[in-house]
């Protein structure tokens, strides 16, 4: 059981990063980023290229995955989402736009990166033992990096001026603009921060699971499960959702045959949403 | 409006019959026996039939990404009925729609309480859950190997009178006619529904459910009915594809197909019954035209899709309508 919980901790911390990214985008733009999984996948490939192809250290690849995927997010916000949001009749259009972007990124990645599954060499050697459960040291490192990133992000959003501006914008755009905040710059940055987190999560998990170009949709679905469990648009809910999904998944894989795990998780989530339509921490959705 | 309804319905129906006859005669003639063209048109007709269901859920203000999941259910019902139970295809096809509608009703009742992005996300999960269900019960569905070599539709006879002859191996025309008939019946029913009182109730649900319920409309009942009709379309469409391709795999209908069904509705325009058909026509034709770009096909296609949304965020038909209303305004002035 300790083994299962340790595994849950590994995936849970990285899942929390994914969920935080999608939540930041959702809370400031009211857009569900259906391309989140594809951005995660690109993050994984960025680390693979810097680490394996160019032979640079893993941490540098991780930094680049944040910067490159983050920059991609800024471009998406400036040239796709902003112009469309300015002149649509229905909110669904932005969702569709995100889906189109997802298909585009995935097919582009297939051409650029190829079909092969890519991994990086272990980032640390040795086995870590705790209460009889064994965990490769590489995974322990991943837990610590992910946890440090989550804490850094929460500190950034909670205590810096930019973070306060982001939170204010999520609450009320007009009032924020009246306080002299440059919304244009800020929403592009927020979008980039969200996608950058997807890139970071992909870069971190490539050290454990390897990555291939078709991985995106499954990750997006997991991200949706997390924010449905935790509550859309709430940062603490995102972290909670990440951990809950991590535990469900690890327990499921330990007890059930392969494809049953997520089937059961879907049923649990559907059942849960009937009881709590807004997730654990979510506010009522209009 | 109420007084002139018989007139206003007679004209479009006559026009529709003309177009239908033209379609059934002209397309096989124009294709010149090319199996490829006929195949594309057949797929297009069946896909737009499934997309009508998505359009209906849009009409009640829900973003439905479960359509591929219910199409998969329909495909498996048809496959299991004709392969294991020995039922005729002509019984299996409506049965597929019925099973999909019943399952849709059971899932839809609780799930339809969700709105907006929550509904979109949960329906996406339903599509994925359907794929996993097909994978998880290999005893019934043969799992990842899929159900292959399904028999072709046999003949349909009533009191010894053969109405539809058995489909021959390799023949494309019967499937073309079947898909075309489905599409037209589907469109006709959608149009009748949209112009009826029920259609007005559905539109009121999209605008404001609370207001609708304050007027004494049983909101929960109407939205489940709409969702079940949508699932029926998906089930029948899925069953058709099972017969057309003579196989079903868990990957026959996936999340990406749900997305495409939705794209067709959007590209055509959500305010028009015929929108899904126009969207499927434009998008699938352009996809086929991009065929020579080989491995760049999907990139260019999705790029076009994004461009479409950027330039015409309210659909192709909305642009057409704006043009014509502008022209009218000019004439009046």
């Amino acid at each position: 059981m300790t083994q299962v919980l340790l595994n849950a901790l590994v995936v849970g911390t990285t899942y929390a990063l994914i969920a935080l990214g999608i939540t930041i985008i959702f809370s400031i733009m009211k857009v569900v980023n259906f391309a989140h999984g594809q951005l995660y996948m690109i993050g994984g490939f960025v680390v693979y290229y810097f680490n394996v192809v160019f032979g640079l250290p893993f941490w540098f690849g991780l930094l680049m995955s944040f910067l490159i995927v983050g920059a991609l997010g800024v471009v998406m916000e400036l040239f796709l989402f902003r112009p469309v949001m300015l002149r649509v009749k229905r909110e669904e259009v932005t969702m569709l736009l995100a889906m189109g972007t997802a298909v585009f990124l995935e097919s582009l990645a297939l051409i650029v990166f190829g079909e092969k599954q890519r991994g990086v060499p272990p980032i640390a050697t040795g086995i870590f033992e705790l209460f009889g459960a064994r965990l490769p040291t590489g995974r322990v490192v991943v837990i610590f990096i992910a946890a440090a990133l989550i804490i850094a992000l929460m500190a950034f959003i909670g205590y810096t001026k930019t973070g306060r501006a982001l939170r204010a914008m999520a609450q009320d755009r007009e009032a924020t603009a009246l306080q002299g905040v440059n919304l244009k710059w800020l929403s592009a940055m927020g979008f980039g921060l969200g996608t950058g987190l997807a890139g970071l999560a992909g870069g971190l998990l490539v050290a454990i699971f390897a990555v291939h170009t078709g991985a995106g949709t499954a990750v997006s679905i997991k991200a949706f499960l997390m924010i449905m469990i935790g509550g859309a648009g709430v940062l603490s809910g995102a972290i909670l959702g990440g951990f809950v999904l991590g535990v469900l998944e690890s327990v499921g894989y330990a007890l059930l045959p392969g494809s049953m795990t997520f089937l059961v998780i879907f049923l649990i989530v559907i059942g849960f949403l009937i009881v709590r339509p807004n997730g654990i921490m979510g506010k009522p959705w209009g | 409006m109420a007084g002139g309804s018989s007139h206003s319905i007679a004209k479009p129906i006559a026009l529709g019959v003309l177009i239908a006859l033209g379609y059934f005669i002209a397309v096989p003639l124009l294709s010149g026996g090319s199996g490829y063209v006929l195949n594309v048109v057949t797929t297009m007709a069946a896909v737009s039939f499934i997309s009508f269901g998505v359009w209906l859920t849009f009409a009640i203000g829900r973003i439905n990404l479960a359509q591929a999941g219910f199409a998969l259910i329909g495909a498996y019902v048809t496959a299991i009925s004709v392969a294991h139970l020995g039922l005729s295809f002509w019984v299996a096809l409506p049965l597929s729609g019925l099973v999909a509608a019943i399952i849709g009703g059971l899932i839809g009742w609780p799930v339809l309480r969700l709105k907006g992005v929550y509904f979109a996300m949960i329906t996406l999960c339903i599509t994925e859950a359907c794929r996993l269900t097909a994978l998880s019960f290999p005893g019934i569905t043969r799992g990842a190997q899929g159900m292959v070599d399904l028999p072709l539709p046999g003949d349909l006879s009533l009191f010894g009178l053969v109405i539809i002859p058995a489909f021959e191996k390799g023949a494309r025309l019967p499937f073309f006619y079947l898909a075309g008939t489905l599409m037209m019946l589907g469109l006709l029913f959608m149009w009748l529904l949209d112009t009826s009182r029920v259609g007005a109730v559905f539109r009121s649900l999209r605008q404001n459910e609370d207001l609708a319920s304050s007027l004494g409309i049983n909101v929960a009942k109407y939205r489940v009915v709409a969702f079940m009709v949508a699932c029926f379309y998906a089930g029948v469409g899925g069953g058709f594809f099972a017969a057309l391709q003579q196989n079903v795999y868990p990957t026959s209908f996936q999340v990406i197909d749900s997305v495409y069904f939705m794209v067709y509705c959007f590209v055509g325009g959500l305010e028009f019954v015929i929108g899904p058909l126009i969207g499927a026509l434009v998008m699938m034709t352009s996809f086929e035209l991009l065929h020579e770009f080989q491995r760049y096909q999907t990139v260019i296609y999705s790029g076009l899709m994004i461009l479409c949304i950027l330039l015409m965020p309210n659909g192709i038909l909305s642009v057409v309508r704006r043009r014509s209303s502008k022209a009218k305004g000019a004439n009046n002035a």
Side-chain angles (χ1 to χ4, degrees), chain A residues 21-207:
Chain A
I22 209 166
T23 300
I24 289 174
I25 295 174
F26 180 74
S27 57
I28 58 169
M29 303 278 293
K30 303 287 174 276
V31 169
V32 178
N33 184 16
F34 278 80
H36 215 67
Q38 277 71 21
L39 294 163
Y40 162 98
M41 175 265 295
I42 291 173
F45 273 103
V46 168
V47 168
Y48 164 77
Y49 271 88
F50 278 98
N51 192 206
V52 176
V53 181
F54 305 144
L56 294 163
F58 179 78
W59 65 263
F60 184 75
L62 208 55
L63 180 70
M64 290 314 285
S65 74
F66 177 73
L67 293 178
I68 291 177
V69 181
L72 205 60
V74 173
V75 171
M76 275 165 67
E77 203 276 343
L78 288 177
F79 296 105
L80 294 178
F81 287 91
R82 184 171 302 174
V84 167
M85 286 177 86
L86 276 177
R87 50 197 201 102
V88 285
K89 282 191 203 155
R90 293 167 168 234
E91 52 157 0
E92 295 98 311
V93 182
T94 52
M95 193 180 287
L96 188 73
L97 185 64
M99 290 174 188
T101 316
V103 181
F104 182 74
L105 289 177
E106 191 166 317
S107 45
L108 195 65
L110 195 62
I111 292 169
V112 179
F113 302 137
E115 282 172 8
K116 277 201 183 124
Q117 178 116 352
R118 301 292 192 187
V120 296
I123 46 175
T125 49
I127 299 274
F128 181 82
E129 272 190 59
L130 185 78
F131 305 122
R134 298 154 68 85
L135 206 62
T137 314
R139 297 194 174 204
V140 181
V141 175
V142 167
I143 296 180
F144 277 106
I145 297 178
L149 285 169
I150 293 172
I151 294 168
L153 179 77
M154 294 311 276
F156 170 74
I157 289 179
Y159 300 107
T160 65
K161 206 173 171 184
T162 321
R164 258 201 301 280
L166 276 174
R167 277 186 294 149
M169 186 166 66
Q171 267 182 13
D172 191 333
R173 289 183 86 94
E174 265 175 46
T176 314
L178 286 174
Q179 297 298 317
V181 174
N182 186 346
L183 285 189
K184 282 183 181 173
W185 181 83
L186 194 67
S187 71
M189 200 218 71
F191 207 99
L193 179 65
T195 59
L197 284 171
L200 266 180
L204 263 181
L205 275 190
V206 78

Side-chain angles (χ1 to χ4, degrees), chain B residues 3-28:
Chain B
S5 68
S6 65
H7 271 291
S8 66
I9 278 179
K11 216 170 153 191
I13 281 187
L15 193 69
V17 169
L18 264 177
I19 292 174
L21 281 176
Y23 173 84
F24 281 134
I25 297 165
V27 173

Side-chain angles (χ1 to χ4, degrees), chain B residues 119-177:
Chain B
F119 188 78
M121 290 188 290
I122 199 77
T123 46
L124 188 92
C125 292
I126 290 173
T127 299
E128 191 65 5
C130 288
R131 185 180 71 85
L132 291 176
T133 311
L135 271 177
S136 302
F137 298 97
I140 309 168
T141 62
R142 301 225 181 106
Q145 292 170 343
M147 302 187 63
V148 293
D149 291 332
L150 299 173
L152 283 165
D155 59 335
L156 174 67
S157 47
L158 210 61
F159 309 118
L161 190 72
V162 178
I163 300 170
I164 302 171
F167 284 25
E168 278 166 39
K169 196 164 186 280
R172 314 231 176 256
L173 269 178
F175 281 113
F176 164 76
Y177 285 122

Side-chain angles (χ1 to χ4, degrees), chain B residues 18-102:
Chain B
L18 264 177
I19 292 174
L21 281 176
Y23 173 84
F24 281 134
I25 297 165
V27 173
L29 280 180
L30 288 176
S31 74
S34 150
Y36 168 71
V37 173
L38 221 48
N39 263 355
V40 172
V41 178
T42 305
T43 311
M44 207 183 299
V47 161
S48 41
F49 177 80
I50 300 179
S51 306
F52 287 138
V54 181
W55 183 86
L56 184 64
T57 26
F58 269 122
I60 61 162
R62 293 290 194 281
I63 306 162
N64 181 2
L65 287 167
Q67 198 73 351
F70 287 102
L72 191 68
I73 292 176
Y76 270 107
V77 171
T78 294
I80 291 166
S81 309
V82 296
H84 292 338
L85 307 178
L87 283 178
S88 158
F89 169 74
W90 305 104
V91 178
L93 193 65
L95 184 70
S96 303
L98 220 57
V99 172
I102 291 169

